[in-house]
């Protein structure tokens, strides 16, 4: 448990550090290097187009990241109508839930909070993912994956121009790291260039992980399930996939796709209104 609590503090700091390094490289290294092309007009230059795209992706990723943390399950736990004799220990295994809450409600040991429709505990946000912040979490994974892909492409273009190498051969990227390590220790490669090459593989790993996690999460949503329910073997009521999507993304899903907004149409709130 001590290791998990430590990870719950280190992982968000690690993510913010990677985000800051990515932003600095994009703004001060990759984008200025694109202004060297004199054949393009200023309004249609690759630097401006790429800069606008990167800022859009970064703003959505960071905005949804903040909203995932802001939509704390603790606020929901205060509104639950728990019996006077109910103990927190009854929630530890998720087997006991008051009748006024939805199936899958769970007490998290790390957060010490009650989460409606608990999915999992995300260490990179230091928060539990449930009905209040599921949409923002998916948008965070989506835009983080796209931002990493954008940084990967820009970084490859920078390395290709700096080292005068081509990535036309698919094996060129796979052999880039071992070849660069040998050049770095022989003194033929600068430390700044080696750092960018290491970041390329980091962006690739984070981008693929976020994309895979986002796709798997969407599959569970279409089925009307959560990770917690699958892990506990809970049976869920079969519903049309459109209703499952609307429950998570709401009717204004297009607005949430373009800008970071809170998901105020949670099933729990609709249940309270009834």
């Amino acid at each position: 448990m001590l290791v998990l609590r430590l990870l719950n503090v280190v992982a968000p700091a690690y993510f913010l550090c990677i985000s800051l390094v990515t932003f600095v490289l994009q703004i001060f290294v990759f984008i200025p290097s694109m202004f060297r092309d004199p054949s393009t007009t200023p309004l249609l230059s690759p630097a401006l187009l790429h800069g606008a795209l990167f800022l859009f992706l970064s703003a959505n990723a960071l905005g949804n990241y903040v909203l995932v943390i802001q939509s704390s399950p603790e606020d929901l736990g205060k509104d639950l109508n728990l019996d006077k004799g109910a103990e927190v220990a009854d929630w530890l295994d998720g087997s006991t839930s008051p009748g006024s809450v939805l199936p899958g409600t769970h007490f998290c040991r790390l957060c010490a909070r009650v989460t409606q429709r608990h999915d999992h505990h995300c260490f990179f946000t230091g928060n539990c993912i449930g009905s209040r912040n599921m949409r923002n979490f998916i948008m965070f994974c989506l835009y983080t994956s796209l931002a990493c892909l954008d940084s990967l492409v820009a970084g490859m273009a920078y390395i290709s121009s700096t080292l005068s190498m081509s990535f036309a051969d698919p094996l060129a990227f796979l052999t880039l790291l071992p070849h660069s390590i040998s050049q770095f220790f022989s003194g033929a490669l600068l430390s700044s260039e080696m750092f960018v090459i290491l970041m390329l593989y980091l962006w690739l790993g984070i981008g693929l992980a976020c994309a895979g996690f986002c796709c798997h999460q969407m599959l569970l949503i279409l089925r009307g399930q959560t990770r917690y329910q699958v892990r506990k073997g809970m049976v869920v009521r079969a519903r049309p996939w459109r209703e499952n999507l609307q429950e998570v993304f709401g009717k204004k899903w297009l607005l949430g796709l373009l800008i970071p907004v809170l998901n105020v149409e949670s099933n729990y709130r609709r249940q309270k209104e009834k």
Side-chain angles (χ1 to χ4, degrees):
M1 182 60 66
L2 180 60
V3 176
L4 294 179
R5 292 186 182 277
L6 181 62
L7 182 61
N8 203 42
V9 176
V10 173
Y14 173 77
F15 172 77
L16 293 176
C17 181
I18 294 298
S19 301
L20 179 61
V21 171
T22 302
F23 183 82
V24 170
L25 287 177
Q26 284 272 18
I27 299 299
F28 296 102
V29 179
F30 298 159
I31 294 179
S33 66
M34 298 179 185
F35 279 102
R36 300 172 184 174
D37 187 3
S39 61
T40 57
T41 59
L43 294 179
L44 298 178
S45 64
L48 293 180
L49 295 178
H50 174 77
L53 176 61
F54 174 73
L55 291 178
F56 171 76
L57 297 177
S58 300
N60 275 276
L62 183 59
N64 283 286
Y65 180 82
V66 172
L67 291 179
V68 169
I69 301 176
Q70 182 180 353
S71 303
S72 173
E74 185 179 10
D75 299 332
L76 179 61
K78 295 177 181 179
D79 297 332
L80 295 178
N81 298 321
L82 298 176
D83 298 332
K84 293 183 179 180
E87 297 290 340
V88 174
D90 297 335
W91 293 77
L92 293 180
D93 58 353
S95 59
T96 302
S97 300
S100 60
V101 298
L102 296 176
T105 300
H106 177 64
F107 177 83
C108 178
R109 293 174 181 267
L110 295 175
C111 295
R113 299 167 180 170
V114 178
T115 309
Q116 192 80 31
R117 287 188 62 84
H118 177 82
D119 188 86
H120 69 284
H121 181 89
C122 176
F123 289 98
F124 284 100
T125 60
N127 203 1
C128 280
I129 308 301
S131 59
R132 286 175 59 91
N133 53 12
M134 175 60 73
R135 182 180 71 175
N136 296 121
F137 177 73
I138 294 177
M139 291 296 100
F140 160 68
C141 292
L142 174 63
Y143 280 106
T144 299
S145 177
L146 294 177
C148 288
L149 177 61
D150 179 83
S151 301
L152 176 63
V153 173
M156 291 175 63
Y158 173 79
I159 291 297
S160 177
S161 175
T162 304
L163 303 182
S164 300
M165 62 179 302
S166 175
F167 289 99
D169 185 6
L171 296 178
F173 183 79
L174 299 178
T175 58
L176 175 63
L177 182 59
H179 182 67
S180 301
I181 292 177
S182 61
Q183 285 189 326
F184 174 74
F185 285 105
S186 63
L189 192 66
L190 299 177
S191 58
S192 59
E193 297 171 344
M194 186 64 199
F195 178 75
V196 173
I197 292 175
L198 293 176
M199 289 299 299
L200 293 181
Y201 289 89
L202 184 60
W203 288 324
L204 177 64
I206 296 177
L208 292 179
C210 289
F213 197 92
C214 184
C215 292
H216 183 253
Q217 202 71 44
M218 286 298 301
L219 180 61
L220 291 178
I221 291 175
L222 291 173
R223 295 175 178 175
Q225 294 178 307
T226 63
R227 286 176 178 267
Y228 177 73
Q229 291 173 337
V230 173
R231 188 172 67 251
K232 292 293 183 178
M234 297 180 179
V235 179
V236 297
R237 181 171 59 91
R239 295 187 306 174
W241 62 271
R242 294 180 183 273
E243 293 184 11
N244 296 328
L245 283 178
Q246 184 173 341
E247 182 181 18
V248 174
F249 293 94
K251 296 180 180 180
K252 301 178 181 179
W253 60 271
L254 184 59
L255 180 63
L257 186 63
L258 298 177
I259 58 175
V261 292
L262 278 173
N263 186 9
V264 297
E265 300 179 3
S266 65
N267 193 25
Y268 171 71
R269 292 191 178 186
R270 291 199 301 267
Q271 196 179 53
K272 284 188 63 178
E273 292 175 356
K274 292 181 181 180

